[in-house]
Amino acid sequence: MKDAKPTSEPTGRRQRKRQQTASHLATIAFTLFEEYGYEAVTMERIAVEGDVAKATLYSYFPMKEALVAHHLRDEIVEGMAALADQLATHRSFVSRMQFLLRESAAWHAAKRAYLPPYLRYLHGIADSAENGAIQDAGSTVTWNALTAMFRAAQQGSEVARAIPAEQLAWSLQYLLYGAVTHWLLYPDTDLTAAFLQAFALLMNGAAANKPGDARKSISTGKTNPRRSR
Amino acid sequence: MKDAKPTSEPTGRRQRKRQQTASHLATIAFTLFEEYGYEAVTMERIAVEGDVAKATLYSYFPMKEALVAHHLRDEIVEGMAALADQLATHRSFVSRMQFLLRESAAWHAAKRAYLPPYLRYLHGIADSAENGAIQDAGSTVTWNALTAMFRAAQQGSEVARAIPAEQLAWSLQYLLYGAVTHWLLYPDTDLTAAFLQAFALLMNGAAANKPGDARKSISTGKTNPRRSR
DNA sequence: GTTCAAAACCATACGTCGTATGATTTTGTA
DNA sequence: TACAAAATCATACGACGTATGGTTTTGAAC
């Protein structure tokens, strides 16, 4: 079944080649997007430029948005790796998360133009699943990271253990998603602030504080008068 | 620039007639959807059946999804009105909200088939706004209701006043949105439970409870062994 | 090496959405 | 009655995404 004979190369070549051309096509597409704008570039064009038939292109990327998603996902993976070191320097969970959110907001701002198709793609997933196939793998990257952070915070007693870390990650993602959506509609609003507020809300909750409440609430993290280090 | 009111705003009758045919078209469309399924019904067909040119149909509903949205929005308005009485019988904010969420979950389950295009529409809004026009008016109905409830709860000291009611409504909506999306992917999960959990999380927050915390946390509202009715 | 079935690929046509065009009709108002 | 704005119409079109049916690669088995 799985033990390969020493006759020739492992069977993974086909798959590697596939991922290779996938990456190739995505790169070409992104180059075109950068030059002419997402809307202006047609799938036909990408196929021609990539020297494949349109049908083949679609076999790799079932919708146009998937091309954007592929590229952005790669960027996210890269970015997260690059941030790992700095993340580790932050001592508390809240501080780590706030740092990550600031970075994330900046990244969103930089990629603004691609967010509409990207978000559309992430939902296209859920839609397609209606008809059968596809597991997500889209935003899983960031979701995994968030889950890990929440889980660690639970073990460090910074976050309540009652709620599964997965659900917390998931909840935060949707709050952030809402912030992004709002920000796309009103570009002049402060995305970073919105991210931090969403996080603070998730941590503190909305219930009125009773007098005897001993919890120290998490601020929105904006440069605060007190504590200038 | 072009503001002021230089010419004439659409006058009473014209506007009424427009809304009338809009409703007419939406009804026809929905009937067809019910009979043949959303995907199977083409815009061309709807136009023919409604005895208008395709371009005219599009002038009323800029995307196919808008037809679904129109109908569902009407249903929501109706439903909310019908629920108003029962809502008032609940004494506390938490109880009111939980009641509403249960109803909402049931409604979502009933309309399951239409949710994908409906959600797509709500986002198409944000997308279209990129290019210029449209203010939402889509989910505003339910958003208004939530905002009002939160504001009342703030005045009754059941919810912290630090966060604007609008933002709370907005946050809850996105948490619920996440729950719905997840449920669409995994239909066997319990949407009602997910709604209630989302709400509980929003109220209680995720931060670890310090020993001296006097806040009584909101349960998920599921029929709980202890304290039954 | 020859054979074979699966897969990847190709060219092309097609259905549908949504937009654009330019002419024609309706409607409110001057 | 005149006229400009809005609504409607018929039609063509560009682009997305699917379907079809045939051709080439490819991995492996004989």
Side-chain angles (χ1 to χ4, degrees), chain A residues 123 127 160 177 202 206 213 215, chain B residues 120 123 160 177 202 206 213 215:
Chain A
H123 290 282
D127 248 43
Y177 170 78
L202 182 71
D213 195 338
R215 304 203 312 188
Chain B
R120 235 180 296 141
H123 290 281
Y177 170 78
L202 182 72
D213 194 336
R215 304 203 312 187

Side-chain angles (χ1 to χ4, degrees), chain A residues 79-91 95-96 99 103:
Chain A
M80 288 293 279
L83 255 53
D85 292 351
Q86 299 180 60
L87 248 187
T89 71
H90 290 259
R91 202 80 82 271
S95 156
R96 270 193 302 277
F99 168 72
E103 294 294 326

Side-chain angles (χ1 to χ4, degrees), chain A residues 7 45 49 153 187 201 212:
Chain A
T7 43
R45 178 79 188 280
E49 217 77 39
L201 177 57

Side-chain angles (χ1 to χ4, degrees), chain A:
Chain A
M1 209 83 177
K2 46 168 44 180
D3 60 324
K5 286 341 192 241
T7 43
S8 57
E9 302 98 317
T11 354
R13 185 155 90 216
R14 213 160 196 159
Q15 220 174 7
R16 256 179 303 144
K17 193 150 197 214
R18 221 184 139 68
Q19 267 189 323
Q20 198 175 318
T21 28
S23 220
H24 173 232
L25 288 173
T27 302
I28 283 185
F30 202 77
T31 310
L32 291 173
F33 292 159
E34 287 286 80
E35 179 150 14
Y36 304 100
Y38 176 78
E39 301 290 348
V41 178
T42 149
M43 286 297 266
E44 194 71 46
R45 178 79 188 280
I46 297 170
V48 171
E49 217 77 39
D51 195 32
V52 270
K54 201 174 118 181
T56 303
L57 175 58
Y58 270 100
S59 95
Y60 282 94
F61 301 96
M63 37 175 133
K64 195 183 174 187
E65 289 86 349
L67 285 160
V68 170
H70 180 100
H71 190 262
L72 291 192
R73 190 173 50 70
D74 280 3
E75 255 194 26
I76 292 173
V77 172
E78 253 179 71
M80 288 293 279
L83 255 53
D85 292 351
Q86 299 180 60
L87 248 187
T89 71
H90 290 259
R91 202 80 82 271
S92 77
F93 165 68
V94 169
S95 156
R96 270 193 302 277
M97 188 62 89
Q98 285 179 345
F99 168 72
L100 186 60
L101 290 180
R102 283 174 210 274
E103 294 294 326
S104 177
W107 182 83
H108 278 83
K111 301 300 167 188
R112 188 166 203 285
Y114 294 108
L115 294 183
Y118 183 54
L119 297 182
R120 233 179 299 141
Y121 171 76
L122 290 182
H123 290 282
I125 301 289
D127 248 43
S128 316
E130 277 283 299
N131 314 339
I134 304 183
Q135 66 286 31
D136 91 271
S139 66
T140 296
V141 182
T142 140
W143 182 79
N144 280 338
L146 291 180
T147 302
M149 287 179 70
F150 274 113
R151 202 190 310 284
Q154 284 178 325
Q155 265 142 25
S157 294
E158 291 174 287
V159 164
R161 291 192 177 83
I163 310 129
E166 291 83 4
Q167 190 190 327
L168 290 173
W170 175 95
S171 302
L172 181 55
Q173 277 220 311
Y174 278 102
L175 287 177
L176 298 180
Y177 170 78
V180 170
T181 299
H182 182 267
W183 170 71
L184 285 174
L185 266 168
Y186 308 99
D188 291 338
T189 57
D190 184 347
L191 183 61
T192 303
F195 271 19
L196 294 174
Q197 274 167 28
F199 175 56
L201 177 57
L202 182 71
M203 291 299 284
N204 300 329
N209 285 331
K210 298 296 183 195
D213 195 338
R215 304 203 312 188
K216 43 174 178 264
S217 64
I218 283 93
S219 83
T220 61
K222 294 263 71 173
T223 18
N224 222 320
R226 61 163 187 153
R227 144 154 233 298
S228 65
R229 136 31 130 280

Side-chain angles (χ1 to χ4, degrees), chain B residues 5-225:
Chain B
K5 61 268 309 241
T7 48
S8 55
E9 306 241 326
T11 48
R13 186 155 82 215
R14 222 169 187 145
Q15 215 171 11
R16 255 176 308 159
K17 192 150 197 210
R18 223 186 136 67
Q19 268 189 324
Q20 198 174 320
T21 28
S23 220
H24 174 232
L25 288 173
T27 303
I28 283 186
F30 203 77
T31 310
L32 291 173
F33 292 158
E34 287 286 80
E35 180 150 13
Y36 304 100
Y38 176 77
E39 302 290 349
V41 179
T42 148
M43 287 297 267
E44 195 71 48
R45 177 79 187 281
I46 298 171
V48 170
E49 216 77 38
D51 195 32
V52 269
K54 201 175 115 180
T56 304
L57 174 57
Y58 269 98
S59 96
Y60 282 94
F61 301 96
M63 38 175 135
K64 195 181 173 188
E65 290 86 349
L67 286 160
V68 170
H70 180 100
H71 189 263
L72 291 193
R73 190 173 50 69
D74 280 0
E75 255 193 27
I76 292 174
V77 172
E78 253 179 71
M80 288 293 279
L83 254 53
D85 292 352
Q86 300 180 59
L87 248 188
T89 70
H90 290 258
R91 202 78 83 266
S92 77
F93 165 67
V94 169
S95 154
R96 270 195 302 279
M97 190 60 91
Q98 286 178 345
F99 168 73
L100 186 59
L101 291 180
R102 283 173 210 274
E103 294 294 326
S104 178
W107 181 83
H108 278 82
K111 301 300 168 190
R112 189 165 203 284
Y114 293 108
L115 294 183
Y118 182 55
L119 297 182
R120 235 180 296 141
Y121 172 76
L122 290 182
H123 290 281
I125 301 289
D127 248 43
S128 315
E130 278 282 298
N131 314 339
I134 306 185
Q135 65 287 32
D136 90 88
S139 65
T140 297
V141 181
T142 138
W143 182 79
N144 280 337
L146 291 180
T147 301
M149 286 179 70
F150 274 113
R151 203 189 312 284
Q154 284 179 326
Q155 266 143 24
S157 294
E158 290 174 287
V159 164
R161 291 192 176 83
I163 310 130
E166 291 83 4
Q167 190 190 327
L168 292 173
W170 176 96
S171 301
L172 180 55
Q173 277 219 313
Y174 278 101
L175 288 178
L176 299 180
Y177 170 78
V180 170
T181 299
H182 182 268
W183 171 71
L184 285 173
L185 267 169
Y186 307 99
D188 291 338
T189 57
D190 184 347
L191 183 61
T192 304
F195 272 18
L196 295 174
Q197 275 166 27
F199 175 57
L201 177 58
L202 182 72
M203 291 299 285
N204 300 330
N209 285 331
K210 299 294 184 198
D213 194 336
R215 304 203 312 187
K216 45 176 176 257
S217 64
I218 284 94
S219 82
T220 60
K222 293 264 73 173
T223 20
N224 221 320

